[in-house]
Amino acid sequence: MIPFLDLRDAYLELKSEIDTAVLRVLDSGWYVLGEEVENFEAEWAKYCGAEHAVGVANGLDALVLSLRALGVGHGDEVIVPSHTFIATWLAVSAVGAKPVPVEPDKNSYNIDPTKIASAITDRTRAIIPVHLYGQPADLDPILEIARARGIAVVEDAAQAHGAEYKGKRIGGASDLVCWSFYPGKNLGALGDAGAVTSNRPDLVEKLRVLRNYGSKKKYVNNVAGVNSRLDPMQAAVLRVKLGYLDEWNGRRNALADSYSSALEGSGLILPTISSWAKSAWHLYVVRSPNRDHLIDILKDAGIGTQIHYPIPPHMQEAFQSSSFAPEQFPLAQKFAGEVFSLPMGPHAPMNVSDAVCRSIENASAPH
């Protein structure tokens, strides 16, 4: 059996260091915010090439609090990709704003910058590009459009830890960059965790207040905030794993190269990486109109897969009140019916690409 992802392997490789870090927190007697979180925030900001990082409870909170820090709320519109995980949309609806979907580029699966301008109205307050599957979105034209119109850009980088855009790591280009450290991410905690990186101290200060009950000083609440603080235990684990992120991303890249070589000519639509991008290879996503059949074939061969994502946000029941129709976003609809993800991670066996290739060839061979 080759699982889609085995999180225990990541722990076992670093068991001694992680155990030591966790015991350090337990022994400290300080279990909310504090030095462990502050150290991780500084280390993560430096890694991302940003001036600041603010640790929060999870990736969705990172998005929601970022929109709140920008003052986005009822009556506002936020441009989002039509093809993405639903959290991107949920953050917009959580602050009372309206998600305005824009179709993806057919090669990268990321939001198509050429389609953004036509979606902007006088109510547009922000654009949320998602670095989907680990490949950076094309930021320069998005930032150019946004700055020309006074619109904020909030990057959803939940899948892009260590990815690079035009030679610079994702994390400091726009107003706010939001991260998830969910256990399955390239930099994953042992539970939910998140952060926001930014070069804007004004927004960073607002985020620090919002995440802590809206309080700068204990029992003095300046705004109606929430409790969304990065846990010191998770911060300690993330500090250990951060030291291995580049090495582990290198393993992901090697596996992606192996897949691309083995599956050339297989009939699958393989990932296309732009010349200016360095993917973090969070996922290796392929497409086929015969997806469900191929998934069954791979399952029978003991190879785990997942679908990212089977239902586009505009077709989720959660957004049916918005009256979106399937045909409004044909690319999102098409991708939802064709994409599937092959095993990917720093501990996946390199020979999985050969096993996948053999299974697909057998499925295609005449019987």
Side-chain angles (χ1 to χ4, degrees):
M1 293 294 295
I2 301 176
F4 174 74
L5 178 66
D6 190 337
L7 294 175
R8 189 167 181 266
D9 284 343
Y11 166 64
L12 291 177
E13 181 177 342
L14 305 179
K15 184 179 187 304
S16 175
E17 292 181 64
I18 289 175
D19 289 354
T20 298
V22 169
L23 289 172
R24 180 178 69 238
V25 176
L26 292 175
D27 191 55
S28 74
W30 195 281
Y31 306 129
V32 177
L33 294 178
E35 185 177 348
E36 201 72 53
V37 173
E38 291 169 3
N39 286 338
F40 172 70
E41 289 174 336
E43 291 161 9
W44 182 238
K46 181 179 179 181
Y47 179 86
C48 295
E51 294 177 10
H52 308 278
V54 180
V56 295
N58 55 68
L60 177 55
D61 280 2
L63 289 164
V64 172
L65 295 180
S66 291
L67 292 174
R68 286 195 60 185
L70 289 164
V72 178
H74 291 278
D76 295 330
E77 295 179 352
V78 178
I79 291 176
V80 296
S82 62
H83 178 62
T84 185
F85 181 53
I86 198 170
T88 315
W89 287 46
L90 290 176
V92 178
S93 59
V95 300
K98 175 185 176 182
V100 177
V102 168
E103 286 273 76
D105 172 80
K106 64 180 181 180
N107 294 316
S108 71
Y109 303 118
N110 285 320
I111 192 168
D112 188 339
T114 67
K115 298 176 181 177
I116 289 176
S118 61
I120 293 174
T121 72
D122 57 3
R123 292 186 174 185
T124 305
R125 292 292 307 281
I127 303 169
I128 305 182
V130 180
H131 306 300
L132 199 63
Y133 308 147
Q135 175 166 333
D138 193 359
L139 287 174
D140 281 352
I142 296 173
L143 290 168
E144 183 179 354
I145 292 168
R147 286 166 180 163
R149 293 165 173 79
I151 299 170
V153 175
V154 179
E155 298 170 52
D156 182 339
Q159 302 182 4
H161 310 76
E164 295 181 10
Y165 177 73
K166 297 186 177 179
K168 293 184 178 180
R169 285 197 186 118
I170 296 297
S174 61
D175 296 284
L176 296 161
V177 184
C178 300
W179 304 91
S180 168
F181 303 118
Y182 179 77
K185 304 300 185 184
N186 291 43
L187 181 62
L190 298 183
D192 279 317
V196 181
T197 52
S198 178
N199 292 327
R200 288 190 54 180
D202 58 326
L203 296 178
V204 168
E205 177 63 21
K206 290 180 180 179
L207 286 168
R208 294 195 188 283
V209 171
L210 284 168
R211 74 170 177 183
N212 190 37
Y213 297 102
S215 176
K216 294 181 182 180
K217 181 181 178 181
K218 194 170 185 179
Y219 303 132
V220 178
N221 301 86
N222 308 95
V223 295
V226 298
N227 177 9
S228 180
R229 302 174 295 207
L230 176 62
D231 187 274
M233 203 82 72
Q234 302 300 349
V237 172
L238 291 168
R239 292 181 69 194
V240 172
K241 288 190 171 184
L242 180 55
Y244 295 87
L245 178 56
D246 287 343
E247 177 188 339
W248 285 10
N249 279 354
R251 297 183 201 172
R252 290 174 178 270
N253 186 76
L255 181 54
D257 286 345
S258 180
Y259 274 134
S260 295
S261 177
L263 296 173
E264 186 178 2
S266 66
L268 296 174
I269 299 173
L270 305 181
T272 301
I273 305 301
S274 302
S275 60
W276 39 256
K278 180 180 179 182
S279 179
W281 290 112
H282 175 60
L283 297 170
Y284 190 92
V285 178
V286 296
R287 280 173 48 212
S288 171
N290 300 315
R291 176 189 66 194
D292 295 344
H293 174 63
L294 292 176
I295 286 176
D296 288 340
I297 293 294
L298 293 170
K299 181 179 180 181
D300 290 342
I303 300 169
T305 61
Q306 287 194 19
I307 300 173
H308 296 92
Y309 300 95
I311 304 174
H314 74 281
M315 293 306 298
Q316 294 281 4
E317 186 177 352
F319 287 99
Q320 286 312 290
S321 61
S322 301
S323 301
F324 293 119
E327 60 272 14
Q328 281 183 270
F329 307 104
L331 278 179
Q333 198 75 15
K334 178 179 177 64
F335 292 165
E338 295 183 352
V339 297
F340 65 107
S341 303
L342 301 176
M344 171 54 73
H347 301 91
M350 288 295 293
N351 64 356
V352 66
S353 59
D354 294 328
V356 169
C357 185
R358 284 195 303 271
S359 299
I360 291 175
E361 286 178 348
N362 291 337
S364 303
H367 296 284

